[in-house]
């Protein structure tokens, strides 16, 4: 099963679609969010959405535990 998310590249402000099955980690760096891919030719992509916005947009809001 594959899940695709649409993010906005930080430097170009253009949309990019990412298969989240390939995202190994996601974190904040100041105002930026960094998605780090897994694999032999792993790369990092900077997006404008926060990790919370990305997860809520594609998985729905989470309730308080």
């Amino acid at each position: 099963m594959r899940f695709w998310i649409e993010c906005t590249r930080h430097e170009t402000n253009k949309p990019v679609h990412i298969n989240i099955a390939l995202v190994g980690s996601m974190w904040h760096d100041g105002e930026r969010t960094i998605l780090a891919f897994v694999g032999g030719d792993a790369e990092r992509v900077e997006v404008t959405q926060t990790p919370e916005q990305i997860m809520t947009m594609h998985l729905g809001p989470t309730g308080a535990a």
Side-chain angles (χ1 to χ4, degrees), residues 1-64:
M1 183 180 299
R2 294 183 181 200
F3 298 93
W4 293 90
I5 60 174
E6 181 180 307
C7 298
T8 305
R9 281 194 180 272
H10 185 74
E11 63 278 357
T12 63
N13 207 32
K14 292 185 178 182
V16 59
H17 290 84
I18 300 169
N19 180 342
I20 65 169
L22 300 177
V23 175
S25 60
M26 177 170 50
W27 68 93
H28 280 301
D29 180 13
E31 293 294 315
R32 300 175 299 169
T33 298
I34 311 297
L35 302 178
F37 294 91
V38 297
D41 59 348
E43 67 173 293
R44 293 181 179 177
V45 173
E46 297 177 12
V47 297
T48 57
Q49 292 86 351
T50 66
E52 296 80 9
Q53 289 170 325
I54 291 170
M55 299 301 284
T56 299
M57 185 174 17
H58 298 285
L59 301 178
T62 58

